[in-house]
Amino acid sequence: MTIHIAMWSGPRNLSTAMMRSFSSRADCYVSDEPFYGAYLAQTGDDQPMAEEVIASMDCDWQSVAQALRGLAPEGKAVWYQKHMCHHMEGPISIADFPDMRHAFLIRDPRRVAASYAAKRAVIRADHLGTARQRAYFDSIREQTGAVPPVIDSADVLADPAGMLGKLCAALDIPWDPDMLSWQAGAHPQDGVWGSHWYDRVNASTGFGSPPGEMPELDDAYAAIAESCMADYHAMQEHSIA
């Protein structure tokens, strides 16, 4: 029986480092944004490497979802699935994964906007995914009667061992200290978009330093971040820190 872990995140949110962390477990297989191709094919969003992403992936919402609900590849006991909330624009939603263990990775939208802006000329508030992330959190809480784990990237960077230990406990899997480090370079399960987005994580061998001062944003990006703050703070209230 596979333990399916769905980590619902937004972009520029420590999500790839978290995927690297779980990939360091001997019992774990990881998947990188499995609905990205379907999202791009459906929305036509002008993302970097969009044509390459679509060509490299299964872009059928239903078949991707069916595969994700199956047994983990390579006979692994745990299947960690890194999901971007803003990708879920098709007929599939979190409601289609009732048997998964759901968790939510959040980050201050001002830091997300600053990091995302460095990689894109134009962003919208929906690219940060905070509204859907909050809606998904509320949905799981109502469905299960329990508060699903929420983890803030700033807390992970401040205390990786402590926070990952709490996350593992919340997900009912054993803590593995191998999660604190990984080999530098690309990972076999990285999406083709990693060549554009993953330069920093590919150069890393573990979690970085805690965040410094809050970045300054121009008016457009500041407005986008501000529009996401209420949803972020609502999620932050439930952080497992």
Side-chain angles (χ1 to χ4, degrees), residues 122-207:
V122 178
I123 63 170
R124 305 185 305 265
D126 59 279
H127 284 135
L128 276 65
T130 50
R132 182 172 286 123
Q133 189 178 44
R134 181 181 180 182
Y136 278 7
F137 170 86
D138 289 341
S139 173
I140 294 300
R141 182 169 57 170
E142 292 176 9
Q143 172 189 321
T144 65
V147 177
V150 177
I151 189 165
D152 195 306
S153 63
D155 295 326
V156 177
L157 293 174
D159 181 15
M163 291 306 301
L164 290 171
K166 290 181 179 181
L167 178 61
C168 288
L171 293 170
D172 196 23
I173 61 173
W175 159 243
D176 186 341
D178 286 345
M179 296 175 70
L180 295 174
S181 62
W182 50 83
Q183 292 185 346
H187 188 276
Q189 270 66 61
D190 287 352
V192 296
W193 55 90
S195 61
H196 178 84
W197 297 102
Y198 295 172
D199 50 338
R200 290 189 65 183
V201 75
N202 285 345
S204 71
T205 57
F207 291 99

Side-chain angles (χ1 to χ4, degrees), residues 54-131:
I54 291 172
S56 72
M57 303 185 74
D58 181 356
C59 296
D60 181 88
W61 292 93
Q62 297 292 346
S63 66
V64 173
Q66 183 176 359
L68 294 173
R69 291 188 292 255
L71 295 176
E74 302 178 1
K76 300 292 187 179
V78 178
W79 191 351
Y80 179 91
Q81 301 170 4
K82 168 194 167 191
H83 293 293
M84 295 288 111
C85 292
H86 71 287
H87 287 171
M88 308 306 289
E89 292 288 343
I92 298 297
S93 76
I94 197 170
D96 293 286
F97 304 105
D99 298 322
M100 292 193 179
R101 302 179 189 183
H102 298 281
F104 296 84
L105 178 63
I106 63 173
R107 189 186 187 192
D108 190 303
R110 293 167 293 181
R111 297 191 185 278
V112 176
S115 180
Y116 209 17
K119 288 288 188 177
R120 287 184 58 126
V122 178
I123 63 170
R124 305 185 305 265
D126 59 279
H127 284 135
L128 276 65
T130 50

